[in-house]
Amino acid sequence: MKNNFNLIAPVYDGLAKVVFGKKLKQIQTHFLPVIPENANVLIMGGGTGWIINELFNTGFKGKLTYVEASERMISLSKKNCEFSESVNFIHGEESALPADRQYDVIITNFFLDVFSEVRLDEVIVQLSKQLNNDGIWICSDFQNTDRFGHQLLLWFIFKFFKITANLESGSLMNFDHKFKKIGHSRSENFTLMNGLIFSSVYTSERLL
């Protein structure tokens, strides 16, 4: 099975903290305050679920759908969540979403980088169909830079997850280009670690 994070789910957050300190959490929470209080939010590939508490602690009172393909990640998410009665947990991929459901906000944190280019195009197109016309898409991830240290770290990360999770992807792609193909552009952007990690708010170009 591709992109199977069951094996490393129990130590995933710990490993991230060892390598990146608090930077990954900082990047993923940066734009949470821009989410409307009563929005209908979809989080794809949410990992161990710590971000659920972070979202509700901003004063969020809307609906949250949380999709995760890893059984162990879903289990940890439910265990760690202080607001489980307000969350619709779905074990599966984007195909498990109700086809007629629309969302005001989609969050993909370190999620799009696991796919091959063909699958990435499919995932982005499908999710875009479930985003309201005036909705926002918050994407946090790695991006390529010219720094050798960054390139070495990314090589190690992809090799590590190829071994431990049978990662489908082998390298980073240009997410901006992929969003432009569905008619979305960055309206806000935030980076850390000299540009290695970013969080962006993508909005339909018709609204810009």
Side-chain angles (χ1 to χ4, degrees), residues 28 74 87 122 139 146 159 169 189 200-201 206:
Q28 294 176 72
I74 278 281
V87 182
E122 292 173 351
C139 176
D146 294 330
K159 287 295 183 183
S169 173
N189 189 51
S200 295
V201 177
R206 291 172 295 178

Side-chain angles (χ1 to χ4, degrees), residues 29-49:
T29 57
H30 184 79
F31 285 117
L32 292 184
V34 310
I35 295 175
E37 182 179 289
N38 295 308
N40 189 6
V41 177
L42 168 65
I43 296 180
M44 292 296 303
T48 62

Side-chain angles (χ1 to χ4, degrees), residues 16-30:
K17 189 173 183 179
V18 168
V19 178
F20 296 99
K22 297 180 179 179
K23 293 294 192 299
L24 291 191
K25 287 195 173 183
Q26 186 179 348
I27 206 81
Q28 294 176 72
T29 57
H30 184 79

Side-chain angles (χ1 to χ4, degrees), residues 81-152:
C81 181
E82 300 170 10
F83 304 89
S84 56
E85 69 282 353
S86 302
V87 182
N88 176 26
F89 289 97
I90 296 179
H91 173 225
E93 301 178 336
E94 73 285 348
S95 58
L97 290 168
D100 59 348
R101 188 68 52 84
Q102 294 288 298
Y103 301 94
D104 304 308
V105 181
I106 293 177
I107 299 175
T108 52
N109 288 335
F110 298 93
F111 170 72
L112 299 180
D113 58 18
V114 306
F115 299 110
S116 66
E117 187 158 13
V118 172
R119 276 285 290 136
L120 178 61
D121 287 337
E122 292 173 351
V123 170
I124 288 182
V125 167
Q126 178 167 341
L127 291 179
S128 70
K129 292 177 180 177
Q130 301 196 246
L131 181 64
N132 285 329
N133 291 334
D134 59 349
I136 62 173
W137 188 323
I138 301 174
C139 176
S140 303
D141 220 306
F142 299 103
Q143 60 187 358
N144 287 311
T145 74
D146 294 330
R147 293 173 176 262
F148 175 74
H150 289 172
Q151 295 170 5
L152 186 61

